[in-house]
Amino acid sequence: MKTGYAMKKRLLLCLFVSIAGLSLSSGCGESYGDPVPDFDAARDGVPIITYHYFSEGATPGRALRAIGAVLLNLPLLPPLEEWTISAGTFEKHLEYLQANAYRSVTIDEVIDHMAGTKPLEGKCIALTFDDGDGSVYKYAYPLLVKYRMKGTLFVITSKMGQEWNELSLSPIDELREMQRSGVMSIQSHTHDMHYKIKRGKTPHPTFDVLAKSGISDEWCEVRDDLVKSRALIEQLFGEKPKALAWPFGFGSARSDAIAREAGFSGICSLWPGTNFPGDSPLFIKRYTITARTTLRDFRMMSAGRFEESDK
């Protein structure tokens, strides 16, 4: 019994030391692994990568939780950390894209590609950021400038500059700086619909509950929210947004119809996959980056080859 216990302790210690060593390097000591997959947007569709929040670096505790979640499939990450990656990991992504001659495009260009008006070809990729947390301005924006990449930022227009949901969202001056630099396009994440309400036993996204209710006043509430968001973005940033990213990743036929009525020509989901000419821009696919995403996962996403079953 003692021998077995000692061996178990030794194994756990070795695992801890290995993970701690990995945590000292950005990206958890991973490599991209296999040769670069062949990729062309005209043949394989345009991949879109979605980010949420960034941190300066991986503390030993956070790194251990993240690596445990990836390697051991342990539920060790609280929700905010699940959606957060380090600035170093993000830079590794941009280094990879630059080294492999990728060109970043905006969500407007993806919409035109899907509509067939301006098809994209070659190594094209879109980088998007949901919510507008201040960490995007602090960590991701300077790196986009450094690597000469573009991004699209989906903001909750009623929350700009506020403390919300454990986040510190960028104020208008930061958003305006990113947009005027030509690096970041500002698009809508609704005006004030990023929460859930309970009807029945479980909570559901507010916009979808109201859209499906069959009550005209509630349908109008969703439409008015989206119209207000579009108008505010145009007023503050001088560009009329074409794209909406639904909170929580998905809408429905009814909520999508309201978004189209409000003037949006593209609707982003969090459904994984790439986007082709002829696909509906009312269902734009995006790959999602989380703390569990490995560098190999990112490489496969950037080539449109990632499947959840690969993990």
Side-chain angles (χ1 to χ4, degrees):
M1 289 291 289
K2 287 185 178 180
T3 303
Y5 178 71
M7 183 175 292
K8 185 178 291 187
K9 281 185 66 177
R10 198 175 304 120
L11 287 171
L12 287 172
L13 180 61
C14 289
L15 177 62
F16 178 86
V17 170
S18 298
I19 291 176
L22 288 173
S23 73
L24 296 176
S25 63
S26 179
C28 300
E30 301 173 73
S31 67
Y32 288 98
D34 303 330
V36 179
D38 182 36
F39 171 73
D40 189 293
R43 181 191 65 223
D44 303 308
V46 178
I48 303 175
I49 310 293
T50 304
Y51 299 90
H52 284 78
Y53 322 126
F54 299 88
S55 64
E56 183 174 4
T59 63
R62 184 178 183 279
L64 288 170
R65 291 194 297 274
I67 296 171
V70 173
L71 299 182
L72 306 176
N73 200 30
L74 298 175
L76 300 174
L77 295 174
L80 190 62
E81 288 193 11
E82 178 79 25
W83 299 100
T84 301
I85 65 168
S86 71
T89 296
F90 183 58
E91 183 161 20
K92 281 183 176 289
H93 293 177
L94 298 184
E95 285 175 347
Y96 175 84
L97 295 177
Q98 185 182 76
N100 290 284
Y102 275 83
R103 177 170 71 90
S104 61
V105 297
T106 66
I107 206 71
D108 284 2
E109 291 176 279
V110 175
I111 291 171
D112 290 341
H113 168 80
M114 296 175 75
T117 56
K118 294 180 181 178
L120 296 167
E121 58 183 26
K123 289 186 173 180
C124 294
I125 193 167
L127 306 175
T128 66
F129 306 84
D130 284 7
D131 298 340
D133 180 55
S135 64
V136 174
Y137 175 79
K138 186 174 182 179
Y139 299 114
Y141 169 56
L143 290 171
L144 290 172
V145 172
K146 177 180 177 180
Y147 289 90
R148 299 181 181 180
M149 296 280 179
K150 297 177 183 177
T152 298
L153 183 59
F154 291 95
V155 299
I156 310 161
T157 48
S158 69
K159 307 297 184 188
M160 294 180 291
Q162 295 185 23
E163 300 292 319
W164 172 80
N165 245 16
E166 300 182 69
L167 303 173
S168 296
L169 302 186
S170 277
I172 292 167
D173 61 334
E174 290 182 356
L175 297 172
R176 192 171 278 150
E177 178 188 337
M178 290 189 281
Q179 185 260 344
R180 287 180 175 174
S181 72
V183 169
M184 199 76 80
S185 170
I186 306 296
Q187 304 286 332
S188 175
H189 205 32
T190 75
H191 180 65
D192 193 19
M193 290 271 168
H194 202 308
Y195 62 99
K196 294 182 179 183
I197 56 176
K198 192 172 182 179
R199 287 196 181 171
K201 294 184 178 180
T202 56
H204 297 280
T206 300
F207 66 87
D208 215 28
V209 171
L210 300 181
K212 292 176 177 178
S213 71
I215 301 171
S216 60
D217 285 351
E218 295 190 344
W219 187 94
C220 289
E221 186 178 342
V222 178
R223 183 198 60 194
D224 291 348
D225 177 277
L226 299 181
V227 167
K228 188 171 185 177
S229 179
R230 289 192 80 226
L232 197 53
I233 290 172
E234 183 177 15
Q235 174 191 332
L236 293 173
F237 307 107
E239 62 177 4
K240 188 174 291 186
K242 290 184 179 180
L244 166 72
W246 283 126
F248 311 107
F250 300 94
S252 64
R254 290 186 182 180
S255 53
D256 288 349
I258 296 174
R260 187 169 50 186
E261 172 87 7
F264 289 104
S265 54
I267 302 175
C268 292
S269 72
L270 291 180
W271 188 270
T274 59
N275 302 281
F276 295 85
D279 287 351
S280 173
L282 300 180
F283 189 66
I284 299 172
K285 302 179 186 72
R286 298 189 293 168
Y287 294 110
T288 306
I289 300 295
T290 72
R292 298 171 186 264
T293 305
T294 66
L295 295 180
R296 181 186 180 279
D297 292 341
F298 176 79
R299 181 177 65 83
M300 300 306 288
M301 289 175 182
S302 65
R305 309 272 178 88
F306 178 74
E307 299 287 345
E308 282 293 335
S309 58
D310 292 340
K311 290 186 74 64

